[in-house]
Amino acid sequence: MNTQSPIGVFDSGVGGLTVVKEIMRQLPGESMVYFGDTARVPYGSKSKKTVLKYSRQIVKFLQTKEVKAIVVACNTASALALPEIKQEIDIPIMGVVEPGAKMAAESTKTNNIGIIGTESTIKSGIYSKFLRNINPDITVVARACPLFVPLVEEGLLEDRITDDVIGRYLHELKEYGIDSLILGCTHYPLIRNAISRYMGPEVNLINPAYETAKSLKVMLTEQKLLNQSGEQAHYEYYVSDGVDKFRTFAAQVLPCDVEQTMVIDIESY
Ligand code: DGL
């Protein structure tokens, strides 16, 4: 495998760009091919069977781009599809759940951790499983927040409606006295400021993107796949619908322009 090959990154929509941004920061030499499944978002209310089918199609597409490794930048797909897909392909693939759980377990002082995510991620219980594996004394309080994804996809990052929905979903969590809250959906870091305002400064918000990029670096180093050529990294973006909306959004999230964005027919993979 060529170390200069790109890393494939995917999500159901724009949320995975929060992971792309962190990879750009921690691994500036790595090129990336990003796919956002903007035609089929959200994944969070869909069954395991459907999310697995979608994820398999995306992995197939990314492999046509000769990626050297894949990052599943979607908690829902990491929870529902990653275990199977790991067995099916011969390049390294990692998700965001395990790194996020590790980061939360390391930073909590009270062992009371909150986790928010899509319905499917919360229902899967995967964060609790990883957290308790690391430390059986950890208590987890989980809450699905299904309206957060459409609010983010609509760009309502600082808006009264978003503040209202945050209050509605998180008031119970606030009473539990958690000291860490895992943003268990890659869309949520985009409304991090509003969530933090509501939860208060005593609650540490955990964004798994940071730890994911860190784990990716370790994985690439171990597998001797780190690009050390010194050449300028390049980025390609693909979506299944709505290029203009995606580009506008990406410009707000990423530190660089999203020049090349193309629509592909993901159903054909
Ligand atoms: N951003 C995704 C996640 O991390 C999924 C959001 C969705 O499609 O429902 O779970």
Side-chain angles (χ1 to χ4, degrees):
M1 184 59 77
N2 186 348
T3 58
Q4 291 186 48
S5 298
I7 295 160
V9 183
F10 78 89
D11 178 44
S12 59
V14 297
L17 294 173
T18 59
V19 179
V20 167
K21 183 178 166 194
E22 198 51 42
I23 297 173
M24 284 175 173
R25 204 175 66 79
Q26 293 189 38
L27 292 159
E30 298 297 335
S31 296
M32 278 182 267
V33 176
Y34 181 83
F35 177 77
D37 202 355
T38 44
R40 304 188 294 194
V41 66
Y43 282 11
S45 50
K46 297 195 169 74
S47 66
K48 177 180 165 115
K49 192 170 158 226
T50 302
V51 174
L52 186 55
K53 179 184 142 199
Y54 290 174
S55 302
R56 280 190 175 125
Q57 288 174 327
I58 298 167
V59 165
K60 241 188 190 164
F61 161 69
L62 290 173
Q63 289 193 291
T64 67
K65 298 285 156 197
E66 292 178 357
V67 296
K68 63 182 177 184
I70 293 176
V71 176
V72 184
C74 172
N75 287 263
T76 310
S78 299
L80 303 187
L82 182 60
E84 272 89 346
I85 291 179
K86 234 182 207 165
Q87 315 297 321
E88 297 167 1
I89 59 172
D90 55 6
I91 56 169
I93 180 163
M94 58 176 288
V96 284
V97 171
E98 206 171 343
K102 187 171 159 249
M103 193 175 173
E106 279 166 5
S107 66
T108 181
K109 296 201 168 55
T110 60
N111 282 344
N112 287 334
I113 296 177
I115 154 82
I116 51 175
T118 65
E119 282 171 296
S120 301
T121 300
I122 297 302
K123 220 168 93 197
S124 77
I126 191 161
Y127 268 103
S128 310
K129 201 179 104 200
F130 277 123
L131 285 166
R132 296 231 181 78
N133 274 351
I134 301 170
N135 178 357
D137 293 335
I138 285 175
T139 306
V140 183
V141 197
R143 177 73 160 103
C145 304
L147 286 174
F148 284 180
V149 169
L151 288 169
V152 168
E153 292 276 333
E154 283 307 313
L156 299 172
L157 308 184
E158 285 292 343
D159 196 283
R160 251 187 44 212
I161 299 178
T162 307
D163 290 337
D164 284 352
V165 176
I166 288 172
R168 173 85 69 102
Y169 283 147
L170 302 188
H171 71 274
E172 280 165 7
L173 276 186
K174 209 172 165 178
E175 284 158 21
Y176 273 104
I178 53 170
D179 74 341
S180 310
L181 178 63
I182 302 176
L183 305 179
C185 170
T186 50
H187 282 68
Y188 299 177
L190 296 164
I191 50 168
R192 184 192 179 110
N193 290 343
I195 295 175
S196 176
R197 251 191 331 264
Y198 182 77
M199 294 304 289
E202 60 286 352
V203 177
N204 181 21
L205 300 188
I206 310 277
N207 176 4
Y210 172 81
E211 194 66 29
T212 300
K214 219 170 116 190
S215 304
L216 175 65
K217 191 172 182 178
V218 172
M219 184 178 90
L220 293 177
T221 309
E222 280 171 5
Q223 310 258 344
K224 303 203 174 11
L225 285 173
L226 207 58
N227 184 1
Q228 290 168 318
S229 67
E231 288 200 6
Q232 170 97 38
H234 59 272
Y235 309 112
E236 287 172 29
Y237 301 88
Y238 296 85
V239 290
S240 44
D241 201 4
V243 172
D244 292 339
K245 196 172 163 196
F246 177 83
R247 287 192 63 188
T248 310
F249 201 94
Q252 294 172 38
V253 178
L254 298 176
C256 53
D257 243 12
V258 174
E259 328 82 46
Q260 218 186 332
T261 305
M262 275 170 280
V263 180
I264 56 151
D265 175 14
I266 195 66
E267 295 280 353
S268 67
Y269 288 89

